Amino acid sequence: MTGFDRETLSKRVAEFERRPQHLGDRKAAAVVLAVVVDPKGPGIVVTKRPDTMRAHPGQWALPGGRIDPGESPEQAALRELDEEIGLGLSPDTVLGRLDDYSTRSGYRLTPVVVWAGPVVDRIAPNPAEVARLHIAYEAELSVEPRFKRIRQSPAPVIQLLMFRTLIHAPTAAVIYQFRELALYGRTTRVDELEQPVFAWR
């Protein structure tokens, strides 16, 4: 274990100098890095969207969605966590935010870090929004990313080999920044990492 516990993570997130991004003409959304704990240790919840969804069908994602009028990113994150995987958590589980990440499809994502704790037996994925759910433990998070060049952009596409598949940005970028901070105490910027072309729409 390299320090992936609540006390250390809380301290690292509190000290993290996050980079916000202007909303501009993008839609505001929040995604949740929900840390759950079971006998295997702590890990974050990662989901796969159903193929029937209108937006980004079949893609890997973190729980999250659009921020409603009057909501903070933290409030939206907790609401989406409850709606998608059935975890109703209190505001005191929120540790803080990571860097905003703007997507090619027109969203500004604000990642919210939440320490859910030993709640794995309470997880109840909503089948309308979640086709599969996995927990990325330290072994998965510590795998080094791949950076792939594409002709459509000068920036590299980030890929994470997890759950026997490749996860791409924006999800991969947010997970990568989290893992750098949570496991190693490093501040690694990811806002310029590219998404694959299929995620641009």
Side-chain angles (χ1 to χ4, degrees), residues 26-84:
R26 301 182 185 93
K27 302 177 185 71
V31 294
V32 193
L33 293 144
V35 182
V36 298
V37 182
D38 67 13
K40 294 182 181 179
I44 60 169
V45 174
V46 183
T47 67
K48 191 171 190 293
R49 295 165 65 85
D51 292 334
T52 54
M53 293 195 79
R54 181 178 58 82
H56 306 293
Q59 292 185 27
W60 290 92
L62 296 164
R66 290 182 66 168
I67 299 174
D68 289 340
E71 276 189 323
S72 67
E74 289 80 7
Q75 290 169 329
L78 293 177
R79 174 179 54 77
E80 290 286 348
L81 200 61
D82 192 13
E83 291 175 2
E84 289 190 25

Side-chain angles (χ1 to χ4, degrees), residues 49-126:
R49 295 165 65 85
D51 292 334
T52 54
M53 293 195 79
R54 181 178 58 82
H56 306 293
Q59 292 185 27
W60 290 92
L62 296 164
R66 290 182 66 168
I67 299 174
D68 289 340
E71 276 189 323
S72 67
E74 289 80 7
Q75 290 169 329
L78 293 177
R79 174 179 54 77
E80 290 286 348
L81 200 61
D82 192 13
E83 291 175 2
E84 289 190 25
I85 65 171
L87 281 184
L89 301 177
S90 62
D92 63 4
T93 60
V94 175
L95 303 186
R97 307 177 190 176
L98 301 185
D99 288 347
D100 289 342
Y101 184 95
S102 294
T103 73
R104 290 278 194 168
S105 58
Y107 287 88
R108 183 196 65 189
L109 305 181
T110 298
V112 177
V113 182
V114 172
W115 190 276
V119 295
V120 174
D121 60 342
R122 287 169 42 197
I123 294 175
N126 178 352

